[in-house]
Amino acid sequence: MNKFFPLTPRYRLDDESPWLKGIDPTRNYWIHINGEKTLTAVIPGLVVSSIDEFKQNIQKFQALESGAHIKIERALESCYICCISQNCYAVECYFNGLLVCHTFDKETLESLLMTSHPDWKCTPKDVELGQ
């Protein structure tokens, strides 16, 4: 049996093209799709109310195995994080009414999820993103 081998480009922290526009105060991730500044998607980020909930969600993410997923639920929308294979995760959300999968390596997606920590504050330049 052949192992699944994804060929989709992934967003990485060390990408040459700047794909992360910012993270707003409500923890939405604003990304330039494939580094294209004219195509900006907003991905609902994880929001928690306590350190224990933060730890539980990070541990759930870290325990994901190929084919498994977790759901991020927000008041107005939700999205899924799916483990495609080792070190490759897809975040499913809508862009212009169409379901789109954005792929990330584990380190990058984990870094984004870390912004759900109750003490996290966005940068001053990103405050305007959510308005």
Side-chain angles (χ1 to χ4, degrees):
M1 179 178 206
N2 292 332
K3 284 188 169 184
F4 179 69
F5 182 72
L7 295 174
T8 308
R10 294 181 287 185
Y11 297 111
R12 298 181 331 263
L13 291 175
D14 62 349
D15 271 343
E16 290 180 20
S17 65
W19 57 269
L20 182 62
K21 181 175 182 176
I23 304 168
D24 70 27
T26 61
R27 291 162 173 87
N28 288 310
Y29 315 135
W30 294 68
I31 65 169
H32 298 299
I33 299 173
N34 295 326
E36 182 63 45
K37 292 186 183 211
T38 60
L39 296 173
T40 303
V42 181
I43 299 173
L46 181 62
V47 177
V48 299
S49 57
S50 69
I51 296 291
D52 286 337
E53 188 181 359
F54 169 77
K55 288 178 185 176
Q56 290 170 358
N57 280 285
I58 296 298
Q59 288 170 344
K60 272 198 279 189
F61 169 71
Q62 292 173 337
L64 280 178
E65 295 185 7
S66 294
H69 69 274
I70 55 176
K71 185 176 184 180
I72 294 178
E73 294 189 67
R74 300 285 296 264
L76 298 176
E77 61 184 319
S78 61
C79 69
Y80 286 94
I81 296 174
C82 306
C83 180
I84 297 171
S85 64
Q86 184 180 4
N87 201 30
C88 187
Y89 298 83
V91 177
E92 298 178 346
C93 63
Y94 285 89
F95 179 74
N96 289 340
L98 300 170
L99 184 62
V100 176
C101 289
H102 304 280
T103 55
F104 298 87
D105 65 12
K106 185 173 188 172
E107 180 184 20
T108 303
L109 191 50
E110 195 169 61
S111 294
L112 290 174
L113 293 173
M114 289 293 184
T115 65
S116 68
H117 190 283
D119 295 335
W120 179 84
K121 303 279 188 247
C122 77
T123 64
K125 73 173 184 64
D126 292 344
V127 169
E128 295 176 7
L129 288 175
Q131 299 175 356

